[in-house]
Amino acid sequence: APLVSPLRIQYKDYAAWQQAQLSGEFLQAHKSYWLEQFSGELPVLSLPADHPRPALKTYNGSIVYGSLESGQLEELGNYCQSQGATLFMGLLGLLNVLFYRYTGQEDMVIGSPIAGREQVELEDQIGFYVNTLALRTRFHGTGSYSELLKEVRELTLSAYDHQVYPFDELVEALQLQRDMSRNPLFDVMMVLQNTDVYTLHKDPAVLKVRSYQQRATSIGSKFDLQFTFFESGDGLDLQLEYNTDLYERATMDRMLGHFQSLVSAVLAAPDMRLSDLEYLSGAERNQ
């Protein structure tokens, strides 16, 4: 049997170190950054819902599925790269635009998980190191997507620099007046899964792998909305998990269609004003 060297540190060692740092100078600079990010009046995303929001947050949910074709994904990736941005930043910017068009809000927070393994010593560790970043984007609808992408890029890079500060500590430090019908700080989560699980075999005639589309009508939903993107050989798969006490499936299907239309509009005219980008279908415009 192959010999496996004992791990130099264990998860409990990291947990003890993190707790010790919370009261030390190391995390104070990170804490100051996040408190500055969430100073002033905090935005609440006012997306129109199909049903009144329950007084106590519920977790009933379901999933709808969509995709971007490989050509469109490649075009989006190339555009982001030309702007010094990543695909994650480009998708986050697109969600900001979509919600701006729905609500008119120019200040919003979207959550996203991060691996939390900055230190080299943690790369081979077993344990849950994931932290949540609350990404607050402020922009103007009179600006363009290319301008917004620059804002998102700077925001994301600075958040990465301060990712070590635990999200639950931030929530506690902000001393929020908790709304029991919502999550603290944000109601929408975005995830990009770019781990390549689709190329297990070079010959697609021998083996073809694709993401499993869950058929269950009732699942748990931690957030009002969670957009999970999966890179694949065929493009970008999108899984939209939603709270069924707030939204109907037809509404979510339309939202996916609006997102796909917005991607096309942005790629066609990245310097157009956000307020002028078209995302409705022809039938919806006629209606």
Side-chain angles (χ1 to χ4, degrees), residues 63-69 73 91 94-95 98 188-193 198 211-214 225-232 234-241 252-261 263:
I63 301 175
V64 293
Y65 300 91
S67 64
L68 298 180
E69 295 180 355
L73 173 61
L91 293 169
L94 285 164
L95 287 183
L98 179 66
V188 178
M189 174 72 86
M190 177 192 148
V191 182
L192 173 61
Q193 298 282 7
Y198 293 90
S211 61
Y212 169 66
Q213 296 193 351
Q214 186 171 342
L225 301 171
Q226 177 169 314
F227 290 77
T228 303
F229 298 93
F230 302 88
E231 287 188 69
S232 72
D234 298 326
L236 190 72
D237 295 330
L238 168 55
Q239 177 178 295
L240 174 53
E241 184 180 295
M252 296 296 95
D253 286 333
R254 281 196 303 274
M255 185 177 288
L256 286 184
H258 293 161
F259 179 80
Q260 292 163 331
S261 297
V263 173

Side-chain angles (χ1 to χ4, degrees), residues 14 114-119 122 129-131 163:
Y14 170 81
I114 193 162
R117 294 175 183 260
E118 283 187 296
Q119 293 87 353
L122 301 181
Y129 293 89
V130 174
N131 191 22
Q163 64 176 281

Side-chain angles (χ1 to χ4, degrees), residues 57-63 214 216-223 226 239 241-244:
K57 177 173 170 52
T58 65
Y59 298 89
N60 302 314
S62 190
I63 301 175
Q214 186 171 342
T217 57
S218 180
I219 64 169
S221 177
K222 294 181 181 179
F223 304 95
Q226 177 169 314
Q239 177 178 295
E241 184 180 295
Y242 63 97
N243 187 307
T244 52

